[in-house]
Amino acid sequence: MKIADPLLMREINKYHVLETIRCHGQISRVEISERTLLSGTTVSAITGALIEQGLIHATHTEVNGESHRGRPRVLLGLVADAAYVLGIKISEATTTVTLIDFQGEVVTSVQLPIRLSRQPVEVIADLIEDAMDDCINKSGVDRKRIRGIGIGVPGLVDPRSGRSYSSSVFGEREVPLSALLGERTGLPVKLEKPANLLALAEAWFGYAQRDKSFGVVVLDQTASLGIWLEDDVHRGASTLGPTFGHLKVGSEGIACDCGQVDCLNAHISEAALRQKAGETFGPDFLQTPLARTSILAALSEACDAGLHGAQGLIDGYGTKLGIGVSHVINLINPQKIIVVLDSPRFCELVEPAFIAATSANSFRAHFASTELIMHALDDQLWARGAAALMLRDIYSAPWTSAYQEEQQ
């Protein structure tokens, strides 16, 4: 591909104009030119075409509140109903479907509280399709306005083929989820692992909207990492992304499901934490309603109640996590590392040990320049990340597969 390809340059400029409008809301052409470093003529040509396409609209406002002086100021904004996308989060116990408009805002969301792990592939597709239908019907949005589907599945996911190869939801089965749902809906479907979707969500809607480099650590059934470098998710040569859960964080010889020992997952995965909690408090602890729903919330409650050994388990979790995160800081030194898990109280209890271990194992200058953020997992944020995966194609980001396929 030629660097000076005029079509490529036009698409790059269009993408940056749309991104600037999305990030800043109502904005003038002059401000767009200043923020993108594009000439006023280029910005006017691009925004004129976008208005004709119905993707943005112009609003005339008074200058300094005075309607009788000066030309009206023209502000540009995205047209919310120009297009819609569906974002889907699939987990072991729940599937969440969220409809997102062109501005990236949630229109409606539904949850399907059914375990998909033991279902045949066709039944899985049926259940997801039913949840999508329910979500669309609740919204009242015309199906013809929906432009694509983004899906987050935990485990090993190949975004090129749209297949899940190893997942806590589907097991070791090879599930061609993108192809199945694409055939049923007639829409483009993209599959990604949750950490990458949350990285995209944090870049668009969350804590990293102004950052060029950051990492998102997701602690769900297992530990995973999404890395954001130079306006895109970094997937590596295999496109499968980093296997954060298989970093080595100890020397205790604890076996991991991958066949090696002392991987991060062997110490802090949900299965590992349940095993440690059972050994510490007895099997009855694991049968309590809260522990069956969330082991992190159950440990937090036990710690607050003063149950002996609870804080020790939480501190051990934080220490191993901190060692794992220190590897990322030492190797990449991103501006931020955002750690996401499903219990707000557990975040508070584990944070001191996590920060202490991260600091103790990181190169001092790198640790000082990387901001650590910890917050609770939000299903809608995950789904918005899945939707943003498709919105980027609609924006015609030149480095996405949609643009590249058009040029072939």
Side-chain angles (χ1 to χ4, degrees):
M1 182 180 293
K2 296 180 181 179
I3 295 176
D5 182 350
L7 176 60
L8 173 62
M9 296 307 299
R10 186 162 61 246
E11 290 300 314
I12 290 174
N13 293 340
K14 172 189 170 184
Y15 174 79
H16 286 305
V17 168
L18 276 170
E19 267 288 275
T20 302
I21 296 172
R22 182 191 67 79
C23 290
H24 300 281
Q26 299 288 315
I27 188 171
S28 69
R29 290 182 176 88
V30 172
E31 290 171 303
I32 294 173
S33 180
E34 291 173 349
R35 293 180 183 278
T36 61
L37 302 180
L38 297 173
S39 70
T41 302
T42 298
V43 169
S44 294
I46 292 173
T47 55
L50 292 173
I51 290 173
E52 288 184 8
Q53 295 168 17
L55 299 181
I56 65 173
H57 62 84
T59 303
H60 296 267
T61 63
E62 298 177 2
V63 179
N64 297 325
E66 298 182 8
S67 59
H68 60 283
R69 292 183 183 177
R71 295 177 59 186
R73 189 172 183 232
V74 179
L75 298 180
L76 304 174
L78 298 180
V79 176
D81 62 356
Y84 297 88
V85 294
L86 287 163
I88 302 175
K89 174 198 172 184
I90 299 175
S91 62
E92 288 193 7
T94 306
T95 295
T96 303
V97 179
T98 303
L99 184 66
I100 307 289
D101 67 22
F102 192 57
Q103 293 177 335
E105 298 298 326
V106 174
V107 177
T108 187
S109 185
V110 300
Q111 284 193 333
L112 181 69
I114 296 177
R115 290 185 176 274
L116 301 180
S117 56
R118 299 177 182 176
Q119 304 292 341
V121 173
E122 290 293 336
V123 173
I124 290 171
D126 287 340
L127 292 170
I128 294 174
E129 188 177 14
D130 289 344
M132 289 192 297
D133 287 342
D134 188 20
C135 185
I136 296 168
N137 292 336
K138 281 181 63 177
S139 72
V141 169
D142 185 349
R143 290 172 182 268
K144 295 179 182 178
R145 309 296 293 275
I146 298 174
R147 298 279 295 274
I149 303 167
I151 305 176
V153 179
L156 189 60
V157 172
D158 184 354
R160 297 170 300 183
S161 65
R163 292 173 179 264
S164 168
Y165 290 101
S166 177
S167 167
S168 58
V169 176
F170 304 131
E172 297 300 322
R173 292 181 294 171
E174 181 180 322
V175 180
L177 200 54
S178 290
L180 282 171
L181 292 177
E183 291 172 1
R184 289 165 178 252
T185 63
L187 294 171
V189 180
K190 285 194 168 187
L191 206 63
E192 264 289 7
K193 69 176 185 178
N196 284 349
L197 295 182
L198 281 175
L200 187 54
E202 294 286 4
W204 275 46
F205 313 110
Y207 288 98
Q209 294 184 53
R210 300 292 181 269
D211 296 312
K212 293 294 184 182
S213 66
F214 64 91
V216 177
V217 174
V218 181
L219 303 169
D220 201 6
Q221 281 83 30
T222 57
S224 60
L225 170 68
I227 297 176
W228 185 269
L229 296 175
E230 297 300 329
D231 292 325
D232 202 6
V233 171
H234 178 72
R235 296 185 176 86
S238 70
T239 75
L240 300 177
T243 53
F244 179 68
H246 298 288
L247 287 174
K248 304 303 178 280
V249 295
S251 58
E252 295 92 330
I254 298 177
C256 179
D257 290 341
C258 72
Q260 298 182 9
V261 297
D262 287 319
C263 296
L264 183 60
N265 281 341
H267 291 272
I268 70 167
S269 68
E270 181 175 326
L273 200 54
R274 285 185 178 278
Q275 180 179 341
K276 292 177 182 178
E279 293 170 352
T280 303
F281 309 124
D284 290 345
F285 177 83
L286 300 177
Q287 299 307 313
T288 61
L290 185 57
R292 295 176 68 178
T293 302
S294 170
I295 189 62
L296 299 185
L299 281 174
S300 300
E301 184 181 80
C303 184
D304 289 336
L307 187 61
H308 179 70
Q311 186 64 61
L313 280 180
I314 294 172
D315 288 346
Y317 183 104
T319 297
K320 294 300 185 184
L321 175 61
I323 295 172
V325 167
S326 72
H327 291 319
V328 181
I329 293 176
N330 292 335
L331 287 170
I332 300 174
N333 189 209
Q335 292 168 273
K336 287 185 177 119
I337 292 182
I338 303 166
V339 180
V340 186
L341 40 77
D342 73 3
S343 169
R345 180 57 179 153
F346 192 88
C347 287
E348 297 171 355
L349 293 170
V350 79
E351 190 171 26
F354 162 64
I355 292 177
T358 306
S359 174
N361 291 280
S362 298
F363 183 65
R364 186 178 301 174
H366 286 9
F367 178 78
S369 58
T370 296
E371 180 183 359
L372 299 178
I373 297 172
M374 184 173 279
H375 70 81
L377 181 63
D378 182 343
D379 277 1
Q380 285 203 349
L381 183 62
W382 188 339
R384 289 178 84 188
L389 190 68
M390 296 306 306
L391 284 174
R392 291 210 311 169
D393 279 359
I394 300 174
Y395 285 15
S396 297
W399 46 87
T400 63
S401 60
Y403 174 84
Q404 293 167 5
E405 288 168 4
E406 288 177 6
Q407 308 314 307
Q408 293 177 354

